[in-house]
Amino acid sequence: MKDEGHRLETLCIHAGQHPDPTHGAVMTPIVLASTFAQKSPGQYEAYDYSRAGNPTRTALEGCLAALEGAKHGVAFGSGCAATTAILLGLRTGDHVLCGDDVYGGTFRIFDKVMKQWGLEATFMDMSDPAMVKAAMRPNTRLVWLETPSNPMLKIIDIAAIAQIAKNAGAQICVDNTFATPMLQRPLDLGATMVVHSTTKYLNGHSDVIGGAVLTSDDALGDKLHFLQKSVGGVPSPFDCYMVLRGLKTLGVRMKQHVSSARTLVDRLVKHKQVERVFYPGLTTHEGHEIAARQMKGPGGMISFELAGGLPAAKAFLESLRVFVCAESLGGVESLAEHPAIMTHASVPADVRKTLGIGDGLIRLSVGLEDEGDLADDLDRGFQAAAKA
Ligand SMILES: *Cc1c(COP(=O)(O)O)cnc(C)c1O
């Protein structure tokens, strides 16, 4: 299929994929070979060695690039490997301006790994573009942001920040893991590159760790492919196949994730044991207007503050039978977790407090189970929390 002009739901299923010329197989073959025969020394068609390139990976990279409206897709063995490859493209003495509530693993790469190599990063709330502009330094080479953010689902104005970065000659990278290209396309809004943990919604079945970077900048695309083969954090052909398979249902999955999340949010806002609900679809949410402008839907992630603090939150999470208490997100199964103890435990307590990650905060990844069963499960949690 030619990818030109098709809509996202169609691209999910076909982009980057062509019936296999050998047998006409409709599904992309998993090419496990590490090496490829050469007709004469140095003479080969597309592939010589699977770290440098692999047909199953090429199909995945093509599909992801098409979905984000990018010219180049570069796949990695994890979201963190994708992030690291981007940062390896910077130099000692460069400065990165980063959102203050980015994924904990991203923070750790900046704080514990890249710092040793002389890469400087500052973390800030990017809700106010004027503050971002003021924080740019002459050596700021990259602006890094996540929207909606985790776990507070803060919204950042991608177009406004992209303009600031562009004016300062810096690149801007948006981690689009929470929204997926079905709901938000950062490159269309001016971002230089998009990074994904394909582990989450894109694969969607909680059985792969993977990542990718998408960009339309030719020089950056070449550089990332060079870093991919040089540093070698590549995904296995099997994992590439799994993500391709997951992507086929991304369109329908995202519609249902959003629809079920909206249903649960309607119940949560009315519940007397709920102090606050964080969801970009709520008109009362701080970033609602920007979200409505830059997103096609508010997503499948919800955070809420449960009355009764830690004992109530623990009782709530222990009593759930449909939601699984686990880290991660974006799978077919619903997950519930306690950010302060689980996903955000490495964030210092005082920083958690400023970010609003309290002891009663619960984060939900709304899956694809029956909405009524999910609602009943939350009721079970509330009953247990009331007795705690
Ligand atoms: C999970 C996640 C990552 C890291 O991805 P891995 O695949 O676990 O390495 C990065 N960003 C966000 C927003 C994530 O949720």
Side-chain angles (χ1 to χ4, degrees):
M1 188 198 79
K2 280 248 182 292
D3 302 342
E4 293 298 301
H6 289 99
R7 293 171 182 80
L8 290 178
E9 280 76 4
T10 308
L11 295 176
C12 283
I13 297 165
H14 295 291
Q17 296 152 77
H18 315 278
D20 164 43
T22 316
H23 305 293
V26 171
M27 286 301 139
T28 305
I30 306 173
V31 179
L32 293 169
S34 58
T35 189
F36 298 82
Q38 308 194 8
K39 284 193 189 72
S40 170
Q43 254 191 48
Y44 53 90
E45 285 180 14
Y47 305 101
D48 62 340
Y49 186 64
S50 268
R51 170 159 42 73
N54 171 279
T56 317
R57 192 168 92 213
T58 302
L60 172 63
E61 292 175 333
C63 189
L64 293 172
L67 288 173
E68 287 288 3
K71 277 163 76 181
H72 311 281
V74 192
F76 291 91
S78 70
C80 286
T83 297
T84 303
I86 294 168
L87 299 184
L88 287 173
L90 301 178
R91 287 162 185 268
T92 300
D94 284 351
H95 173 248
V96 183
L97 201 56
C98 187
D100 63 356
D101 56 353
V102 292
Y103 179 69
T106 303
F107 174 80
R108 190 168 55 202
I109 296 170
F110 280 116
D111 188 51
K112 296 269 188 325
V113 183
M114 296 316 290
K115 210 151 102 180
Q116 293 184 42
W117 298 88
L119 193 72
E120 217 189 328
T122 33
F123 300 88
M124 65 175 301
D125 182 344
M126 293 194 175
S127 316
D128 180 1
M131 301 278 283
V132 176
K133 192 172 175 195
M136 295 292 289
R137 299 184 194 168
N139 61 337
T140 305
R141 293 281 170 273
L142 177 66
V143 177
W144 187 285
L145 64 89
E146 237 174 74
T147 178
S149 75
N150 176 18
M152 305 314 289
L153 301 165
K154 261 196 313 209
I155 301 293
I156 295 166
D157 188 336
I158 297 173
I161 307 293
Q163 193 57 54
I164 291 164
K166 202 173 161 195
N167 292 347
Q171 297 175 335
I172 160 172
C173 178
V174 176
D175 183 332
N176 205 27
T177 300
F178 267 42
T180 83
M182 301 314 292
L183 304 180
Q184 171 174 285
R185 294 221 309 179
L187 299 184
D188 293 347
L189 299 166
T192 328
M193 62 191 125
V194 167
V195 67
H196 273 287
S197 167
T198 55
T199 310
K200 316 295 165 56
Y201 286 109
L202 298 188
N203 177 60
H205 294 73
S206 305
D207 50 9
V208 168
I209 297 285
V213 189
L214 301 316
T215 183
S216 287
D217 180 318
D218 293 333
L220 186 60
D222 286 350
K223 191 170 178 178
L224 287 164
H225 273 299
F226 172 78
L227 284 165
Q228 178 193 40
K229 86 168 170 199
S230 303
V231 183
V234 294
S236 75
F238 182 74
D239 284 354
C240 293
Y241 171 82
M242 292 287 274
V243 179
L244 274 170
R245 184 181 164 111
L247 282 170
K248 292 189 188 292
T249 54
L250 181 69
V252 283
R253 281 190 287 113
M254 289 316 292
K255 281 181 195 145
Q256 189 59 47
H257 284 303
V258 171
S259 154
S260 297
R262 285 188 192 275
T263 305
L264 296 184
V265 162
D266 284 345
R267 293 172 67 110
L268 288 171
V269 290
K270 288 184 209 131
H271 205 285
K272 59 180 192 310
Q273 281 165 264
V274 174
E275 288 177 347
R276 235 180 124 183
V277 181
F278 302 91
Y279 187 65
L282 287 169
T283 51
T284 50
H285 189 78
E286 237 172 89
H288 175 72
E289 259 174 57
I290 298 164
R293 200 165 66 225
Q294 75 185 11
M295 299 179 78
K296 275 198 263 175
M301 299 298 296
I302 308 167
S303 290
F304 66 97
E305 187 74 37
L306 180 66
L310 192 57
K314 277 192 171 165
F316 183 97
L317 289 167
E318 283 163 8
S319 73
L320 299 175
R321 281 190 229 148
V322 181
F323 281 88
V324 178
C325 178
E327 300 193 3
S328 199
L329 61 116
V332 292
E333 69 294 330
S334 291
L335 301 179
E337 67 112 3
H338 190 271
I341 296 177
M342 298 167 66
T343 48
H344 292 68
S346 62
V347 179
D350 55 323
V351 180
R352 279 205 304 265
K353 204 166 175 191
T354 19
L355 293 176
I357 307 171
D359 284 343
L361 191 77
I362 288 174
R363 188 190 79 178
L364 304 177
S365 171
V366 180
L368 304 182
E369 301 91 341
D370 179 85
E371 284 179 4
D373 285 338
L374 294 178
D376 290 349
D377 206 34
L378 294 184
D379 284 343
R380 192 175 293 128
F382 286 125
Q383 280 162 25
K387 287 187 218 128

